[in-house]
Amino acid sequence: MIKTCLLKDTLREITYNKKRFLLTTLIVFISSILFIGFNNSILDVKLTEKSYRTQNNYMDILITSNYGFDYEEQEQIKNIKYVTGVALANNSVVDAKIGNKTYKVKINNVPQDRNENNNDYINRFTLSSGRYPNTINEGVVEESLIKDNNLSIGSLVTLKPEDSFMLRAKKIKIVGTFKADNYRYDEKSKYTMYLANSNFTSYSYENIYVTISDSSKAKEVKNEINKIIEKTEKEKYKNELDITKSEIETLKQNIEDLKQNGGSEEEIQDYNASLKSEELKLAKLEKPNNKITITNDISKTLSYTDKMDEVTATSVLLSITCSLVFPTLLAWLTIKLFISKKREIRTLLLLNYNAYEIISKYVIYILASSFIGTLFGGIISNTLVPILILKYYKSMNIMAAFQFKYVILHFIITFIIASAITIITTYKIMYNKKFTLVKILKKIKKV
């Protein structure tokens, strides 16, 4: 057992040299913030993703198309077993002129029914300022678009889609803002904008969002959706292909007639624009590109998924660093303390204290530093690290989850490694030439 006088001596050492003790505790404190904070944050990110999916009714299956689907496919998909919600969505990427710059902007339609109880209101977003668009020439943009371009509510953005007939209004007044989407299933656009559904001329939608009641049935639902899409391609697309070809021939003939009969340049331009629109439609119908993806399989579906991978990798790196570097540093400072007390140690040896009793004083010192540093570091980490992660990754939110097991784990690792290094090193020091005099004096005493 540790002698009472050694225990008291350890407490005196802490009391008399508070700066040294605070330094060793600070090392453990920093180590615990990193170790506990980032290990806890793996769960933080998982909880945040789960919360985001629930609150925003995030899709389980994404159907994309270069041509699109309409309400007929929506109703058919809604009748599939396990499907709880289906939403048609426009997600085109267009050029947008903002001031003197042109950006790629993803435009979406704002659903008419934004009731929280509406299962078909999928991939929801929340306004951070302003209001939702009411007319065709109004839109809501993400905050970064306004910030990056020094705009404000009421500023105008000019959209330039490849198909000039795609939108009824192209000069859009900003009436509201929202924080950046937490999900990204394309990297083609710099910003995102939501427009009134009535601004889109076509009733054909590029995306369909699907939610299901049981995630384990996703592949089964995907197979049923695939049957609907195959039928659409064979029957519906074929009919539209014939109609589009006929419309193109008619437009070409009308343009020729206008040219021969002295039609105005404005009329010819209008027909040419219609012809281009139909030709774009034909190209898509001739090579339909329809894809069904379970959202967990989408590359970079959720920014949280990417963040979780990065946080996990960082956590592993920091765990290794905190488990090796910081305990070694703690041991080094303790060993320096031991060396500075060599006269006292010689005296204790002459008083017949054995090496392990003397070393135990410094093990208690490490124990105190490890306990206090880990305790306070663990408390601070639960607030500080999630804030740092939120700021670094620019997330909308992050849920903090405290797991006490990482506090215990950090304390055990720090204490054991630092103690082991200290015990081995101090024992060797104690029996090297510096303590030869002690050995001689002990032999004389025995004689």
Side-chain angles (χ1 to χ4, degrees), residues 255-270:
I255 292 169
E256 285 299 317
D257 291 342
L258 283 170
K259 287 179 178 179
Q260 290 177 6
N261 297 321
S264 68
E265 190 64 32
E266 186 178 347
E267 285 181 303
I268 294 173
Q269 285 180 355
D270 286 342

Side-chain angles (χ1 to χ4, degrees), residues 247-281:
E247 181 65 23
I248 288 172
E249 290 302 318
T250 301
L251 287 168
K252 286 180 177 179
Q253 186 59 52
N254 289 339
I255 292 169
E256 285 299 317
D257 291 342
L258 283 170
K259 287 179 178 179
Q260 290 177 6
N261 297 321
S264 68
E265 190 64 32
E266 186 178 347
E267 285 181 303
I268 294 173
Q269 285 180 355
D270 286 342
Y271 273 105
N272 276 324
S274 297
L275 176 62
K276 183 181 178 182
S277 178
E278 291 298 317
E279 286 175 339
L280 287 170
K281 180 178 174 181

